[in-house]
Amino acid sequence: MGKLIVSLSPHAHGTDSVERNMYGVIIALVPALITSFIFFGIGSAIVCATSIIACVVFEWAINKCLLKNKNNSIADGSAILTGLLLGFNLPSNLPIWIIIIGALVAIGVGKMTFGGLGCNLFNPALVGRCFLLVSFPAQMTSWPVPGQLTAYTDATTAATPLSIMKVAIQEGDSSILEQLPDSFSLLLGNTYNLGSGCIGEISALALIIGLIFMLWRKIITWHIPVSIIATVFILSGIMHLTDSSYANPFAVIFSGGLMLGAIFMATDYVTSPMNSRGQLVYGVCIGFLTIVIRNWGAYPEGMSFAILIMNAFTPLINTYIKPKRFGEVVKK
């Protein structure tokens, strides 16, 4: 048993803990979860419940059977949060067996392979989502139209606002953007007869309420979400002013997984930079990559890939962007 080394006084008592922060994020996701039930009904319930249960079971089984850990980590809430975020990144008509595969990859590959909570290089939920997107592209890009509360795998699907934006850019035709709902409708999640994307991205307003809660509880800081959203807004605004075939910046930030990624995925403690300057650099780069992938990449959405790419650069950012040590004298 190692020595417990305690520094000299004064000491500050902190109320933060893994459990408090994990369950705090889960509470912040409740408005978006309720909204998803309102828009998708039974499909949202099945996908989210399956994802959460599968993630918890896989983490318990890996700890118990493979790693032989006596103190199982499922009580800290991280497996529940991973399952909920994975479910939020899936369409509401995804078959159960595909969800279970995604949960296995998220927990088994994205998290436990690296040593569990605190050791993973990439966001586990996004690892699971991107694996499914590459492995099952047809099922992962089939977007149900909101309002089909009792439909599941047989739900009617349609193109999403991001798909319409992509076609307008490719065709160079701004008239295609007339199919988009107005920005206020996108903020609320009312996409008319269009597909609305993943479960958790249906309402930007519900996600912003979660952001306000987390800022109030000091679970996260403003640096990452604000820098991502501001970067996307500014770049998309510039492109809209120079070419009308690009959508207006409000439609861009309220569509797709931008809000979900900026608020809940990019702010993951383990995979994001430790200090505020590093977080700003990290956020700006995510915003820039999101715009590049959305406008000129193969997929209409680029948020997940942008976050995973910058997850890989987090150690480098932490190495080269450090806060000044207390009492340090800078040498000339």
Side-chain angles (χ1 to χ4, degrees), residues 35-284:
T35 306
S36 73
F37 292 156
I38 294 172
F39 280 97
F40 296 116
I42 190 172
S44 173
I46 291 173
V47 171
C48 290
T50 302
S51 180
I52 292 170
I53 293 170
C55 283
V56 171
V57 169
F58 283 133
E59 180 153 329
W60 175 85
I62 292 171
N63 269 311
K64 186 77 174 178
C65 303
L66 296 181
L67 302 181
K68 307 296 183 182
N69 289 337
K70 294 182 179 179
N71 298 321
N72 215 306
S73 61
I74 59 173
D76 61 22
S78 62
I80 298 173
L81 180 57
T82 298
L84 184 55
L85 288 173
L86 175 62
F88 270 25
N89 279 277
L90 303 176
S92 63
N93 62 346
L94 196 66
I96 289 176
W97 64 274
I98 297 181
I99 303 169
I100 293 173
I101 292 174
L104 177 59
V105 172
I107 295 295
V109 178
K111 182 179 180 182
M112 303 308 292
T113 297
F114 292 94
L117 181 64
C119 302
N120 51 287
L121 180 61
F122 301 99
N123 185 293
L126 289 182
V127 171
R129 180 189 189 273
C130 289
F131 175 85
L132 293 182
L133 188 60
V134 173
S135 303
F136 307 98
Q139 294 91 332
M140 285 291 292
T141 54
S142 173
W143 310 114
V145 176
Q148 306 172 83
L149 303 183
T150 59
Y152 176 37
T153 54
D154 58 343
T156 302
T157 60
T160 63
L162 284 182
S163 299
I164 293 173
M165 294 179 196
K166 189 80 168 181
V167 173
I169 295 170
Q170 292 172 342
E171 300 292 332
D173 185 359
S174 60
S175 64
I176 296 175
L177 297 175
E178 295 175 2
Q179 303 174 45
L180 292 175
D182 60 88
S183 299
F184 185 70
S185 296
L186 289 172
L187 173 67
L188 297 179
N190 184 7
T191 56
Y192 307 148
N193 295 319
L194 299 176
S196 54
C198 298
I199 289 173
E201 63 191 41
I202 179 66
S203 173
L205 179 60
L207 296 168
I208 292 171
I209 292 172
L211 171 63
I212 294 170
F213 174 80
M214 290 195 293
L215 292 175
W216 172 64
R217 287 283 300 271
K218 297 182 179 180
I219 297 173
I220 64 171
T221 62
W222 61 268
H223 303 83
I224 292 175
V226 170
S227 59
I228 293 173
I229 296 168
T231 301
V232 172
F233 186 89
I234 292 170
L235 292 178
S236 59
I238 293 171
M239 289 186 290
H240 177 68
L241 290 174
T242 56
D243 186 346
S244 59
S245 63
Y246 292 94
N248 74 78
F250 288 102
V252 173
I253 64 172
F254 293 150
S255 299
L258 181 73
M259 287 293 180
L260 177 62
I263 297 170
F264 291 100
M265 314 298 290
T267 54
D268 176 33
Y269 291 142
V270 181
T271 58
S272 61
M274 294 184 292
N275 65 78
S276 58
R277 285 191 300 151
Q279 290 169 0
L280 290 173
V281 172
Y282 173 79
V284 169

